[in-house]
Amino acid sequence: MNDSLTPQAKDFLNQTIPLFINGTWLSSECGNTTDIIDPSSGQTIATVSSGDEKDVNLAVETADKAFRSWSKLSPEERAEHLNKLADKLQSEAKTLAQLEALDVGKAFVNADGFDIPFGIDCVRYYADLAVKADYGASLDLEDMDARIHRAPYGVCGFIFPWNFPFDLFMWNVMPALAAGNTVVIKPAELTPLTSLYVCKLAEEAGIPAGVINVVVGAGRKVGTPLIEHPKTRRISFTGSSGVGKQIASMCGQRPIPCKLELGGKGAAVVFDDADLDNAVTQLAGAITLNTGQVCCTATRWLIQENLYDAFVEKVTSKLKSTVIGPGIDPKTEMGPVVSQAQQDTVLDYLDKGLTQGATAVLDGGKVDVEGHDGGYYVAPYLLTGSPENICFQEEIFGPAAFLVKFKDEEEALELVNSLEYGLANSVFSEDLERCNRVAEQMVAGNSWINAHNVFAYGLPYGGINMSGVGGGVNCPETFYDYLRDLTIARPLV
Ligand code: NAD
């Protein structure tokens, strides 16, 4: 075990970590376990219980029971519970950052400097919103005493991917809890550690039993029964577009509301009057942050022809200097990808892209890191060629981007909007009027100006088309999404 780990992290990893159901740590009914692999070394770092339908049934039933009292608490009481949880998370921020870096392979500097603090802020943000929110609105109708009453749904199910386990938990689950719902969470099989550690801290913070439940396990064994359970009142899914379509269809059978936050293939349009250094920093950062495993990141770089050569020279030099290493090492700027399978996928795209006629602007691919032989490291690669190329068309989810030169605004917009994905794009130019015009014509949930990957409290975020339905992250809209509208009316004549 890594010597730099906190005693709490060591203790936590030094056991078969059970499921968390009804405020109790339980081994799965079937007795199955899964080994959790450190992507930086390929070594097993922990073993977790792996559940199935029986565990899900117990979790949903207990969450349903807990809903009866949790939903009756005043917003102030719920906020007090959540603020206590935030304090607990804060007191163990280093342990959380280490577990996240070990589990996902992400650079500790990012986990410690961004993921964990941002996630903790989110708990406080929704605690505050719960207190300030409107739980009703009167309607000004003729001959009618009428109003809207907003009430929580009941048990909300969450199915998460592996790239931002802690933040996705906070961003999605906290608004649901703050609104008075109880939750059953299925983390990704590959990266359940911080979700389980949050349960330990929730228990210590006094969150009532049954309000938060975590069942680890495979998609079909845990995710599907969670969706199909009659007492699950809504589902929030974050993951790939392919699985998202299946989830939507299962939710449609019930039917229950289903929020989908899916894949992306974001474009960045860089005009020749852009601040070159900023564009280079933002876009190199876009594919090295979390080793490019970021749904909303920019992986199609559209560069105006006059700027193309200068951009390529600067960005390749910047990417070559990226320090690649094990996630847990504070000096690492970019860790490995999450798994052997993901490494194979990212390298396979490189092969296919080249076979289809792309040219390498920056040679990357499999790379060895001294002293960490078994890790799943990939050096950043950049390709250029036809927009028909598979690497322009499909989400790779690794440190890779595809460059295309464009002549004018019209051509750039056509390229941006040529795919079915619609998550996030950006535009870089000193001409803000042009930036705003282009931003408005990008068909997606988010358009960013002179920056990429922009998140702030109060700024809604979501996708359209193949990138999802709904969304929200840290804004009042997300909070209200976890309340259902009930109209109450009394005719006066
Ligand atoms: P995935 O779709 O393979 O898996 C996501 C989750 O779904 C996992 O927990 C998995 O076990 C579960 N699952 C799989 N099959 C299931 C089934 N039949 N029934 C129920 N659950 C099932 O995605 P991934 O590979 O873990 O994550 C990467 C993807 O997530 C990328 O496409 C990325 O763009 C996307 N993502 C999107 C956002 C967003 O905000 N839009 C955020 C993060 C990641």
Side-chain angles (χ1 to χ4, degrees):
M1 197 170 289
N2 191 302
D3 286 343
S4 68
L5 294 184
T6 63
Q8 293 93 326
K10 284 183 184 160
D11 283 352
F12 188 63
L13 297 175
N14 198 16
Q15 57 168 329
T16 298
I17 306 167
L19 311 176
F20 188 72
I21 300 174
N22 201 20
T24 311
W25 294 93
L26 296 174
S27 297
S28 59
E29 279 272 343
C30 61
N32 288 347
T33 58
T34 307
D35 286 342
I36 304 300
I37 307 296
D38 172 4
S40 302
S41 65
Q43 302 292 313
T44 298
I45 38 163
T47 302
V48 298
S49 242
S50 181
D52 65 16
E53 186 173 359
K54 286 191 183 135
D55 308 294
V56 172
N57 289 346
L58 182 61
V60 177
E61 290 296 339
T62 56
D64 184 54
K65 204 163 149 220
F67 174 70
R68 287 170 221 163
S69 42
W70 181 251
S71 59
K72 296 283 181 307
L73 296 182
S74 67
E76 288 76 11
E77 287 169 316
R78 278 200 296 275
E80 201 181 325
H81 275 298
L82 295 183
N83 281 322
K84 278 190 190 152
L85 173 60
D87 292 345
K88 264 279 158 198
L89 296 170
Q90 187 70 59
S91 71
E92 298 227 20
K94 183 165 183 201
T95 298
L96 286 163
Q98 288 186 334
L99 291 174
E100 197 79 331
L102 268 185
D103 203 4
V104 185
K106 70 173 66 199
F108 176 79
V109 280
N110 291 337
D112 189 50
F114 173 80
D115 296 47
I116 305 302
F118 199 23
I120 296 170
D121 282 352
C122 171
V123 187
R124 298 204 170 100
Y125 175 78
Y126 283 111
D128 188 47
L129 255 183
V131 174
K132 292 181 179 151
D134 291 324
Y135 294 87
S138 58
L139 299 170
D140 188 14
L141 301 182
E142 209 173 308
D143 300 329
M144 183 86 71
D145 178 15
R147 65 193 167 94
I148 291 172
H149 170 70
R150 300 194 180 104
Y153 283 86
V155 181
C156 295
F158 294 83
I159 301 175
F160 290 132
W162 42 257
N163 59 341
F164 285 90
F166 181 76
D167 278 345
L168 288 169
F169 188 133
M170 298 299 130
W171 294 343
N172 284 275
V173 171
M174 291 307 141
L177 293 178
N181 302 281
T182 52
V183 301
V184 177
I185 299 151
K186 189 203 104 53
E189 303 90 301
L190 292 175
T191 59
L193 295 182
T194 48
S195 300
L196 291 162
Y197 203 78
V198 168
C199 293
K200 174 181 171 308
L201 300 179
E203 192 182 12
E204 289 170 14
I207 300 284
V211 170
I212 300 176
N213 304 275
V214 171
V215 183
V216 180
R220 286 185 196 284
K221 284 190 170 173
V222 172
T224 304
L226 177 57
I227 297 165
E228 290 175 345
H229 196 291
K231 286 184 179 157
T232 302
R233 302 298 178 194
R234 56 167 290 160
I235 287 287
S236 300
F237 172 82
T238 311
S240 62
S241 302
V243 175
K245 285 188 212 170
Q246 295 172 34
I247 304 288
S249 146
M250 286 187 254
C251 290
Q253 293 301 311
R254 301 255 334 260
I256 50 172
C258 171
K259 179 167 89 160
L260 300 171
E261 299 191 61
L262 309 179
K265 188 73 187 176
V269 176
V270 184
F271 285 98
D272 58 13
D273 66 341
D275 173 339
L276 180 59
D277 287 340
N278 176 50
V280 164
T281 304
Q282 294 284 329
L283 297 185
I287 62 164
T288 52
L289 174 71
N290 211 31
T291 322
Q293 302 162 118
V294 180
C295 52
C296 53
T297 211
T299 55
R300 294 182 294 150
W301 296 355
L302 313 178
I303 316 294
Q304 200 163 21
E305 49 193 10
N306 287 342
L307 190 71
Y308 186 84
D309 291 343
F311 176 85
V312 164
E313 194 186 325
K314 279 211 166 192
V315 86
T316 48
S317 136
K318 187 160 188 75
L319 286 168
K320 278 183 200 160
S321 69
T322 305
V323 179
I324 301 175
I328 197 75
D329 185 339
K331 292 191 292 300
T332 293
E333 291 171 353
M334 188 177 93
V337 294
V338 75
S339 63
Q340 177 76 68
Q342 193 59 21
Q343 188 189 43
D344 292 346
T345 301
V346 175
L347 298 177
D348 196 41
Y349 269 112
L350 175 58
D351 282 350
K352 285 184 182 150
L354 292 170
T355 306
Q356 289 186 7
T359 309
V361 172
L362 173 65
D363 277 323
K366 194 171 185 319
V367 68
D368 293 327
V369 172
E370 209 185 319
H372 302 278
D373 290 346
Y376 314 125
Y377 299 98
V378 179
Y381 64 81
L382 300 177
L383 300 179
T384 188
S386 158
E388 296 305 314
N389 191 283
I390 191 167
C391 292
F392 185 91
Q393 298 276 326
E394 296 185 9
E395 184 183 46
I396 297 174
F397 230 51
F402 199 94
L403 283 73
V404 174
K405 273 186 212 172
F406 69 89
K407 280 194 182 56
D408 55 25
E409 203 171 303
E410 194 184 344
E411 188 189 359
L413 274 166
E414 210 163 291
L415 285 164
V416 172
N417 294 333
S418 62
L419 303 187
E420 278 301 304
Y421 285 114
L423 193 49
N425 302 302
S426 54
V427 49
F428 292 80
S429 165
E430 292 292 278
D431 177 350
L432 289 185
E433 210 173 292
R434 168 157 72 183
C435 285
N436 280 296
R437 187 171 60 237
V438 169
E440 283 176 14
Q441 292 177 78
M442 290 169 158
V443 182
N446 315 279
S447 285
W448 294 315
I449 295 177
N450 292 333
H452 204 99
N453 292 330
V454 179
F455 290 92
Y457 288 98
L459 182 69
Y461 164 93
I464 60 162
N465 301 335
M466 269 221 316
S467 295
V469 179
V473 188
N474 297 313
C475 61
E477 286 82 349
T478 311
F479 176 82
Y480 286 111
D481 191 33
Y482 285 98
L483 292 167
R484 62 186 167 81
D485 282 357
L486 167 69
T487 60
I488 298 176
R490 178 173 62 96
L492 297 176
V493 286

